[in-house]
Amino acid sequence: MRLSTTPAVLVLEDGRTFRGSAYGAIGETLGEAVFVTAMSGYQETLTDPSYHRQIVIQTAPHIGNTGITDDDDESAKIWVAGYVVRDASRISSNWRSIGDLSTRLEHSGIVGISDVDTRALTRHLREAGAMRMGIFSGPAADAAADELLAKVQGSPHMAGAKLAEEVSITQPKLIPAVGEKRFSVAAVDLGIKSMTPERLSERGIDVHLLPATTSFAEIQALGVDGVFFSNGPGDPATADAQVELLREVLAAEVPFFGICFGNQLLGRALGFGTYKLPFGHRGINVPVMDRTTDKVEITSQNHGFAVDAPLEGETQAPHDASYGRVTVSHVCLNDNVVEGLQCLDTPAFSVQFHPEAAAGPHDSSYLFDRFIDLMSASQVTQA
C-alpha cells in the first residue's frame, strides 16, 4: 500500500496546529478531539457508535498493521468524525485481513491525518482539556490559518449534544438466545456495540433490541424479564426521554442493567447529576475497583461524562425515596470517578465501562452473569 503524501493540517480550537499527511479521505472534518489509549482494536474503536461526532487520536504509534476484517466491526459503519495517527502502516499483515485500513477510511469518507506527534497532542489535551478540532487536507488545507480556526470554533460542542437517537436502530430486532432460552431482555439501543447482544444471547437470553425512542408500554408488551441500557454518544443531560423511561422501569421493579451511557442515565434517573470530564476515559486498560468484591479489574472504557454521586456510604435516591438506597459499586483507580451504581432496595445496577470488551480485557464479563442472577432473584420474589 502506498501512503498519501497529500499535506494535511490539524487545528485545535485553542489555535494549536499540527501538520502531517492525509490519511483516508481528502477533505475536512470537525468534531471533539479525544484520545484512545488502547494498544489494539482500532477497528472496534472506529465502528463504536459512542465515537459519533468525535475525532479519535490513537496514542499507540503504529496503526493499521493488521488490516481490517468485517468480522471485527462493532456496528454497520465507521462512526468517528475523523482519525489521527502517528505511523500509518504501509503493510497489512494478518491471516484474517481482507483489506487495508487506509482504503476502508477513504471509502467510508473518513478524513484523517498521519505523521502527527500524537504524544505531544495527547499531552496537550490532558493539560488543556477536551476541545473541538478540525482536520483539513488537500485544497481545504490551503485556507488561511484564521479561517480554519474559525471553522473549528464555530463547530458544535459535545456538552449539550443529543446524539443517541442519531445512532440507534429505528425498528426492533430480535437476537435469539443461543441454546435453551432462559430469559428475555429488552435492550434499548443508545449506540450499542454488536458484541453486547452476543454476550447476552450466548447466556441463553432472547435480546429484543429496541430503538432509543421506545416507550415503557412497548417494553411491557414484550413481557421481558429485564431491561438493558447500552453505551452511546452525547451528553446524558439531554436524554430526558430515556431517563423517564428508566424511572418507569425502576418503579415497576423490572431488573435493570446499564453500561456506559446507561450508567449515566441510571444516575440521572435516581436523582444524581452528571458532568463532563476534563478529557474522559477511552481505552482498554483502565483500572477499576469493584467494591462489592474488592477486586481490581482492567476495563474497556469510552466516555467523556460521569455521574456525580457520593463515593462513600449509602445514599437515599434523591429523586424518589421509593427507589431506596444506592451505593457507588465501582470506582476508577486513576481519578476516583464513579464507575458503577448499585441499588440496594430496587433490582438495578450499572457500570461505566464495557464488560463485553471487544477488543479488550474480559475481567468484567461476570457482570452479565450478575444481571442473570438479578433476574433470577426477581422471579423468585414474584413467585
Side-chain angles (χ1 to χ4, degrees), residues 110-152:
I110 306 301
V111 176
I113 184 171
S114 64
D115 303 321
V116 167
D117 186 346
T118 51
R119 178 177 173 82
L121 177 55
T122 298
R123 287 172 64 88
H124 183 67
L125 292 173
R126 281 181 58 88
E127 293 169 0
M131 63 182 77
R132 293 162 295 173
M133 183 170 78
I135 300 174
F136 307 90
S137 59
D142 295 333
D146 57 349
E147 181 180 336
L148 298 181
L149 180 59
K151 286 185 177 182
V152 174

Side-chain angles (χ1 to χ4, degrees), residues 123 284 300:
R123 287 172 64 88
I284 57 177
S300 171

Side-chain angles (χ1 to χ4, degrees), residues 8 42 53 166 174 199 223-224 247 256 267 269 303 363:
Y42 55 77
R53 259 183 49 187
E166 295 183 13
L174 174 65
R199 291 288 180 256
V224 295
R247 285 173 176 164
F256 172 81
H303 66 107
D363 296 21

Side-chain angles (χ1 to χ4, degrees), residues 182-183 200 203 205 255-257 289-295 297 327-330 339-342 347-351 353 355 363-378:
R182 300 173 61 192
F183 298 98
L200 291 166
R203 286 169 166 80
I205 298 175
F256 172 81
F257 176 31
M289 169 71 79
D290 182 346
R291 290 176 160 184
T292 68
T293 62
D294 288 333
K295 291 182 178 179
E297 305 163 18
T327 185
V328 172
S329 58
H330 296 72
E339 293 282 356
L341 299 169
Q342 184 170 14
F349 74 101
S350 60
V351 293
F353 44 94
D363 296 21
S364 305
S365 59
Y366 69 89
L367 290 165
F368 293 107
D369 299 312
R370 187 174 289 181
F371 187 31
I372 288 176
D373 291 342
L374 195 67
M375 291 187 287
S376 297
S378 178

Side-chain angles (χ1 to χ4, degrees), residues 57-121:
I57 302 153
Q58 294 277 185
T59 62
H62 195 53
I63 298 296
N65 53 310
T66 57
I68 56 102
T69 172
D70 292 343
D71 293 339
D72 290 344
D73 285 346
E74 284 292 341
S75 67
K77 60 178 282 188
I78 293 178
W79 283 100
V80 303
Y83 203 42
V84 184
V85 303
R86 177 179 168 180
D87 296 325
S89 178
R90 296 177 180 276
I91 299 172
S92 299
S93 179
N94 186 278
W95 67 273
R96 299 171 66 240
S97 176
I98 61 171
D100 65 83
L101 178 58
S102 177
T103 302
R104 174 76 177 275
L105 292 170
E106 183 179 2
H107 289 171
S108 300
I110 306 301
V111 176
I113 184 171
S114 64
D115 303 321
V116 167
D117 186 346
T118 51
R119 178 177 173 82
L121 177 55

